[in-house]
Amino acid sequence: SFALDLSPWLVRDDRSPPPSSRDEARTEDVAAMAGIPLEDLATLRAFLESNTNDLAYIDILKEVAWPGWEQLATNIKSQIRQAGFTGAVHVKYANKETLSVHK
């Protein structure tokens, strides 16, 4: 069994409107780097800073959209076969991942 991690090629889809002020720009830059909408970022920050239950945790769901991934899968399989591999090659697209963050 062999797995190829393509996560280094993932980039954030930046379709947010331009900020209206300088402070808002800084906050949006932080949110853009995290990939979390501003409303959710504020909720997450409040939870982590003010929740007094040390056993509390939060699940963060990461969703990935990769338009045209089928073409990439075909190209990867082709390259593997051209390198001489004769076994079965299966490509799986996993677009969701959950991360649990404990306080």
Side-chain angles (χ1 to χ4, degrees), residues 23 26 34 39 42 44-47 62-63 65 67 78 93-94 98:
D23 289 336
R26 239 180 247 127
E39 310 82 46
L44 177 61
R45 182 175 290 126
F47 171 78
K62 176 178 80 172
E63 294 183 38
S78 175
Y93 172 57
T98 301

Side-chain angles (χ1 to χ4, degrees), residues 9-28:
W9 287 277
L10 296 177
V11 294
R12 185 175 187 284
D13 183 15
D14 189 19
R15 295 183 190 170
S16 57
S20 58
S21 73
R22 194 160 242 224
D23 289 336
E24 202 175 305
R26 239 180 247 127
T27 304
E28 286 193 13

Side-chain angles (χ1 to χ4, degrees), residues 22-72:
R22 194 160 242 224
D23 289 336
E24 202 175 305
R26 239 180 247 127
T27 304
E28 286 193 13
D29 286 345
V30 171
M33 286 190 291
I36 301 172
L38 287 176
E39 310 82 46
D40 294 344
L41 189 60
T43 303
L44 177 61
R45 182 175 290 126
F47 171 78
L48 293 174
E49 289 176 352
S50 60
N51 188 300
T52 59
N53 181 356
D54 289 336
L55 297 177
Y57 71 95
I58 191 164
D59 287 334
I60 299 175
L61 175 65
K62 176 178 80 172
E63 294 183 38
V64 175
W66 196 318
W69 76 271
E70 296 91 351
Q71 181 65 38
L72 177 65

Side-chain angles (χ1 to χ4, degrees), residues 83-95:
F85 183 76
T86 58
V89 178
H90 301 282
V91 178
K92 179 179 142 185
Y93 172 57
N95 66 338

